[in-house]
Amino acid sequence: MESGMPLSGGQRALIRESWQRVSGSPVQHGLVLFTRLFDLDPDLLPLFQYNCKQFASPQECLSAPEFLDHIRKVMLVIDAAVSHLENLPCLEEYLCNLGKKHQAVGVKVESFSTVGESLLYMLEKCLGAAFSPEVQEAWSKLYTAVVTAMQRGWEALPEGD
């Protein structure tokens, strides 16, 4: 998995250190991420439905037990990426399949830039002054590598599938 520019040792250390501060409360911080996501793109809300139930509002979605499970899964994916910073290619197949799953439920590739913005927003809110430009750049590079692998899931599907 190439990210264009590999992460330096210093960037990997910044990611690990900042994630350590976030990962202890994954649902709490995931709620910040998804609240921001729905603020930035309310049209994503209909993609989240469980048992054929549409949510009337982002608040209703954000409090649903099924959605809280989704938040936990998203935070686990981020945790896996952080845990494998030295060997991101080992996550390639997993992330490609994750991309296919997102495509199958109607997520557009373009939405991942909004998710990236929301991730950086969450990190900034959690880390405060520790969210330096260097931390932001390191996380942006990692997120780009993860999304690039997920996008390969889109490209792997034949047209019309």
Side-chain angles (χ1 to χ4, degrees), residues 73-138:
K73 290 175 187 172
V74 169
M75 299 303 271
L76 281 172
V77 171
I78 298 169
D79 193 66
V82 173
S83 298
H84 293 87
L85 287 173
E86 308 293 340
N87 186 17
L88 286 174
C90 76
L91 296 176
E92 178 78 27
E93 184 179 350
Y94 172 74
L95 293 171
C96 187
N97 287 330
L98 195 57
K100 288 177 192 175
K101 286 180 185 176
H102 280 78
Q103 183 186 39
V105 297
V107 176
K108 303 285 182 235
V109 171
E110 304 78 48
S111 296
F112 284 110
S113 64
T114 312
V115 174
E117 274 183 65
S118 301
L119 172 65
L120 293 175
Y121 174 86
M122 179 269 292
L123 289 165
E124 181 179 11
K125 291 296 167 204
C126 173
L127 299 171
F131 188 71
S132 65
E134 295 79 17
V135 171
Q136 180 177 351
E137 182 185 351

Side-chain angles (χ1 to χ4, degrees), residues 19-71:
W19 184 245
Q20 193 171 9
R21 294 179 57 183
V22 175
S23 61
S25 306
V27 173
Q28 175 190 341
H29 294 110
L31 282 168
V32 172
L33 189 157
F34 278 96
T35 299
R36 179 66 172 171
L37 181 65
F38 292 142
D39 286 348
L40 292 173
D41 191 351
D43 292 340
L44 292 175
L45 185 62
L47 294 176
F48 297 97
Q49 50 180 299
Y50 304 95
N51 304 319
C52 299
K53 179 186 186 305
Q54 287 279 337
F55 293 107
S57 69
Q59 293 72 27
E60 184 184 354
C61 180
L62 292 165
S63 63
E66 300 91 346
F67 190 75
L68 295 175
D69 284 343
H70 182 77
I71 288 174

